[in-house]
Amino acid sequence: MRILVKLGTRLLTKPEGGLDSVRIDRLAGEVVSLLEEGHEFLIVSSGAVEAGRQGLGICPGTMDIRHKQAAASIGQTDLMNAWRQGFASRGRMAGQILVSSSDFALRSSYLNIRNTLNTLLERGVIPVINENDTVAVEELKFGDNDRIAAIVTVKVDADKLILLTDVEGLRSSSGELVKEVNEITPEVESWACGKGSECSSGGMGSKIQAARMVSRLCGIDTYVAQGSAEGVISEIIKGSNPGTVFHGGKSVLPHRKRWIAGMTPAGSLTLDAGAVRAVLEKNSSVLAVGITGVGGDFTEGDPVSCLGPGGEAVALGLANFSAEDIRKIAGCNSSSIKDMTGGCLNEEVINRDNLVIV
Ligand code: GLU
């Protein structure tokens, strides 16, 4: 089985600050014993910013983007060193992969990352992935590692996504641990309240979004569990569910659509109710006539988010035209577009093959 395990900041750092190297060593040991049973592992590891914060002498919760980037440049080396030692002491190698959202925008770099990951896995090396925090500015950031974990999971065709955190799993509004989620409904989403803490970027909300992405794009299960419990990864692989499992759907999308799904939108198109229905129910392309608004300043080929009339995200796709051109043709039918533009623009603003439901 190919498994992606994501570990959150609060799991890998100590409450008083700095890395929890004892825990990282224990987790590395668990991964190595499972590798010996024939499984393959990829790790998405948070903790760089918090690990470097102390070195900069900054108090928790007071860091702006500049300081986070500086902290990450210090902390990433410590983090990687802790993983390297944990694996090397058991005869294994770790490979560092730092990604930023722009690396996923170009099809060629997306494919390069996939090739590198597959090559490391073939050679028995454990890829340890994190966001390239030192180069990504706020608007170009993935934001949290749950999202990176989901994108990489669908990219490498992993069989399971395991998100380890410092809570047992998802709790319903009555406080009960939810063992299984078959469908991510608005009610399920409402159970995720806010962010984790001042030192972590995600929270249950971003875990639910990650589960939704892998379920929709490649139909696999996502587990959320408490990583401080010893043996939790083995338990999950052997079939138990110590926390919450989000069951995968039935669909497995082609890799081109998975690539699009991992992109960060450069702008948005608001669709009317009829266009939303056509996209969701008939797998239609987005036509100019159904567009009621254009947000942002994107160019031809950029990823754009398609929103419903109430502003809810419906789909993500690659625009055939720039924002400026779409503003000219929004709401128009094909014959008036032809007249207006002398035939240089057409009604199809996003082709269905470049469109992914979110
Ligand atoms: N990349 C950040 C770090 O290593 C963590 C992001 C997150 O918490 O999801 O500190």
Side-chain angles (χ1 to χ4, degrees), residues 176-259:
E176 240 171 273
L177 182 66
V178 180
K179 295 298 291 176
E180 285 184 87
V181 176
N182 288 315
E183 199 192 341
I184 299 172
T185 57
E187 187 188 15
V188 170
E189 284 179 309
S190 74
W191 296 336
C193 41
K195 283 190 152 204
S197 75
E198 56 202 5
C199 72
S200 67
S201 310
M204 201 48 77
S206 67
K207 291 177 180 49
I208 294 177
Q209 293 317 320
R212 182 201 298 279
M213 181 186 272
V214 300
S215 163
R216 288 207 176 148
L217 300 182
C218 59
I220 66 157
D221 294 345
T222 299
Y223 291 79
V224 177
Q226 193 158 43
S228 51
E230 200 137 332
V232 71
I233 306 174
S234 333
E235 261 187 71
I236 293 173
I237 289 173
K238 296 195 168 110
S240 354
N241 169 24
T244 303
V245 59
F246 295 83
H247 289 295
K250 300 229 172 340
S251 56
V252 179
L253 291 189
H255 272 285
R256 183 177 169 78
K257 289 214 175 193
R258 299 189 198 182
W259 162 61

Side-chain angles (χ1 to χ4, degrees), residues 32 58 70 116 132 152-153 155 170 187 201 252 264 301 319 329 351:
V32 170
I58 296 176
T116 307
N132 197 352
V152 177
T153 298
K155 185 195 279 287
L170 176 67
E187 187 188 15
S201 310
V252 179
T264 305
I329 61 174
N351 180 276

Side-chain angles (χ1 to χ4, degrees), residues 12-93:
L12 302 183
T13 55
K14 293 191 271 196
E16 66 275 22
L19 282 179
D20 188 342
S21 340
V22 174
R23 181 165 290 158
I24 294 179
D25 184 67
R26 179 183 56 70
L27 288 160
E30 195 179 342
V31 166
V32 170
S33 55
L34 289 162
L35 283 172
E36 275 149 21
E37 290 176 20
H39 299 294
E40 290 179 321
F41 278 91
L42 299 101
I43 289 181
V44 171
S45 174
S46 299
V49 172
E50 182 58 13
R53 181 183 58 76
Q54 267 192 330
L56 285 180
I58 296 176
C59 299
T62 59
M63 278 191 291
D64 57 15
I65 180 85
R66 204 163 56 93
H67 287 98
K68 282 186 187 162
Q69 291 181 301
S73 82
I74 301 168
Q76 180 62 29
T77 56
D78 292 346
L79 181 64
M80 203 53 216
N81 202 28
W83 283 114
R84 195 193 59 77
Q85 276 176 5
F87 289 123
S89 64
R90 296 168 175 94
R92 293 285 184 158
M93 271 194 298

